[in-house]
Amino acid sequence: MAEQSSEIPETLSSKMEAVSIASTQASSSSAGLQISEDVEKRYQIVRSIGEECIQEEELKNLLAKKAAPICYDGFEPSGRMHIAQGVMKVINVNKLTSAGCRVKIWIADWFAQLNNKMGGDLKKIKVVGEYFQEIWKAAGMNNDKVEFLWSSDEINARADKYWPLVMDIARKNKLPRILRCVQIMGRSETDELSAAQILYPCMQCADIFFLEADICQLGMDQRKVNVLAREYCDDIKRKNKPIILSHHMLPGLQQGQEKMSKSDPLSAIFMEDEEAEVNVKIKKAYCPPKIVQGNPCLEYIRYIVLPWFDEFTVERNEEYGGNKTFKNFEEIAAEYESGELHPGDLKKGLMNALNKILQPVRDHFKTDERAKNLLRQIKAYKVTK
């Protein structure tokens, strides 16, 4: 396999350097817990991932007591990978491992089958799972403390532990409570659900305990089942509850799209999109002048470009203000809202940044025969909801 030039920029990697465990100088949290400067530093790295954390004091306690907490993340292999699944996951996983965490990435092949992804064809689902791993490797994920676990293999290997747990969670919850969790599958309570889709939330809740996760590091759309896991701890009188660290969900590129859609190519940037495709999608993206709230282009800059490069550069003629490099989102938002930063200039800077991030992935899928074959198969598959 050819070596990839997929190094993360120094500005990002320097932020994520593993924190020394040597520091013993103490600082106080709001609850009075004495924690070292090292723990505080690790806490700040881990906490920066989440739009929401349940609960922050529990996270500080965990990091103070455990050098290598287990973080759980998972995904349904369900088609081509968009940039939130790709770049944001690389950023988040690398932050977690730099703070000493172990990350278990749950390749939820059986869950994708239950949810009728790829028409429920398990062979296709497994191909998609392999393709996802190729992308993260090419994009620069640090795999030193990362385990990729296929749900079908792990559940079959330890069925005596897994299925009693699923059954107990199902027994302790009424159907309306489980139905409130179907959002995790991209469904709503009013959808006509199969029996398999009722089983799904109970299984995902069980995954957290099965994988011995200390931290659930998933998107805000998975919040309800993570809360269910904490409620289950109350039911079984378990003191140590899984900490929920929910990351932001990037919107689609078109107006009013709360989420990216794999069935709408213009709603998202895909990880192997060519430069011309990225440029067309950003040019067509919703980006109203002077409006920051609900502006997907600004969201991409805030959650992808700035964490990756630690800066955002706009190139423009001197008569329009000249080139400018921004170091934080607040500065960008203020200049955009005032009208000093034009949507066209912002979009041009965004195109340049995204194409730089994605180039190593494109190269990998062009030069590596296995990756090239996986992508060819994926593009031929029909995406099913």
Side-chain angles (χ1 to χ4, degrees):
M1 192 175 292
E3 288 211 9
Q4 301 303 309
S5 57
S6 56
E7 294 295 323
I8 293 180
E10 287 185 13
T11 50
L12 180 60
S13 59
S14 63
K15 282 182 173 181
M16 298 180 180
E17 285 178 1
V19 183
S20 168
I21 310 298
S23 175
T24 56
Q25 294 180 344
S27 61
S28 299
S29 74
S30 58
L33 172 71
Q34 293 294 310
I35 61 174
S36 69
E37 287 184 0
D38 166 66
V39 171
E40 179 64 29
K41 197 180 292 185
R42 290 170 61 211
Y43 168 77
Q44 293 299 334
I45 292 171
V46 174
R47 181 63 184 88
S48 71
I49 290 168
E51 184 169 286
E52 177 186 63
C53 177
I54 306 174
Q55 300 281 348
E56 291 183 342
E57 287 305 319
E58 291 177 20
L59 179 57
K60 287 184 179 181
N61 272 306
L62 172 68
L63 294 171
K65 294 175 182 177
K66 194 167 183 177
I70 295 172
C71 300
Y72 146 74
D73 194 355
F75 67 94
E76 285 184 353
S78 58
R80 292 176 68 196
M81 183 187 286
H82 55 61
I83 202 164
Q85 288 176 308
V87 176
M88 282 181 70
K89 194 178 294 291
V90 169
I91 292 168
N92 290 346
V93 167
N94 287 355
K95 282 186 176 182
L96 290 168
T97 57
S98 78
C101 299
R102 289 172 53 205
V103 180
K104 294 183 178 181
I105 297 182
W106 193 235
I107 310 176
D109 52 347
W110 270 4
F111 292 77
Q113 187 179 41
L114 284 171
N115 203 17
N116 200 39
K117 296 299 173 71
M118 312 311 294
D121 187 326
L122 198 57
K123 287 183 179 178
K124 290 181 179 178
I125 290 167
K126 286 185 178 294
V127 170
V128 178
E130 296 287 352
Y131 149 85
F132 272 39
Q133 291 180 74
E134 287 292 322
I135 286 187
W136 287 321
K137 177 174 64 177
M141 183 180 284
N142 178 2
N143 289 336
D144 290 348
K145 297 175 184 174
V146 177
E147 289 180 86
F148 289 97
L149 303 170
W150 291 85
S151 67
S152 55
D153 293 342
E154 296 299 315
I155 292 169
N156 278 332
R158 293 187 288 151
D160 59 332
K161 180 178 179 182
Y162 188 79
W163 292 114
L165 187 53
V166 174
M167 291 166 63
D168 196 49
I169 291 166
R171 284 178 57 248
K172 286 182 167 60
N173 285 280
K174 303 296 184 186
L175 186 57
R177 179 66 185 90
I178 299 302
L179 285 173
R180 290 204 302 275
C181 292
V182 298
Q183 176 191 4
I184 65 175
M185 299 178 283
R187 312 288 172 179
S188 76
E189 295 176 51
T190 57
D191 287 351
E192 187 175 342
L193 301 168
S194 67
Q197 289 164 329
I198 302 297
L199 180 62
Y200 188 120
C202 298
M203 290 174 63
Q204 185 168 324
C205 183
D207 293 343
I208 296 164
F209 304 100
F210 184 66
L211 295 171
E212 300 178 338
D214 299 302
I215 300 170
C216 300
Q217 204 294 286
L218 299 162
M220 286 294 292
D221 62 336
Q222 305 296 303
R223 182 184 187 278
K224 288 183 179 180
V225 77
N226 293 333
V227 171
L228 180 68
R230 287 178 64 88
E231 291 172 356
Y232 178 65
C233 289
D234 292 332
D235 292 335
I236 62 174
K237 306 294 189 290
R238 170 173 161 155
K239 185 178 178 182
N240 294 326
K241 299 179 181 181
I243 294 157
I244 303 172
L245 194 64
S246 304
H247 64 250
H248 181 74
M249 299 294 293
L250 274 185
L253 288 171
Q254 302 303 305
Q255 185 175 5
Q257 291 181 328
E258 290 185 9
K259 288 177 65 175
M260 298 178 185
S261 170
K262 292 181 181 181
S263 59
D264 178 3
L266 286 177
S267 77
I269 303 295
F270 293 101
M271 288 297 291
E272 358 70 23
D273 273 350
E274 294 293 344
E275 184 174 346
E277 292 175 296
V278 171
N279 293 347
V280 166
K281 289 179 181 183
I282 297 301
K283 281 178 184 175
K284 292 184 176 182
Y286 178 63
C287 190
K290 301 183 181 181
I291 302 296
V292 173
Q293 192 71 25
N295 188 322
C297 292
L298 284 167
E299 292 251 328
Y300 268 53
I301 292 166
R302 182 176 187 177
Y303 292 100
I304 294 178
V305 177
L306 283 172
W308 192 269
F309 293 113
D310 207 28
E311 63 183 29
F312 174 65
T313 300
V314 170
E315 297 176 356
R316 55 194 174 186
N317 295 333
E318 286 297 328
E319 61 185 299
Y320 298 118
N323 296 350
K324 185 166 182 178
T325 297
F326 300 89
K327 294 293 186 181
N328 60 70
F329 183 74
E330 290 72 25
E331 191 182 356
I332 299 168
E335 192 152 314
Y336 189 80
E337 201 164 28
S338 73
E340 289 183 57
L341 180 55
H342 188 273
D345 295 323
L346 180 130
K347 284 187 173 187
K348 184 181 175 184
L350 178 56
M351 289 176 212
N352 291 338
L354 293 178
N355 281 313
K356 284 178 186 175
I357 293 170
L358 296 179
Q359 193 56 49
V361 179
R362 294 182 192 126
D363 293 343
H364 181 64
F365 278 89
K366 286 176 182 174
T367 59
D368 185 281
E369 287 302 319
R370 181 173 182 273
K372 193 188 299 185
N373 182 52
L374 286 169
L375 181 58
R376 186 165 47 244
Q377 292 180 73
I378 300 299
K379 285 186 172 181
Y381 295 161
K382 181 182 178 181
V383 176
T384 56
K385 189 176 184 299

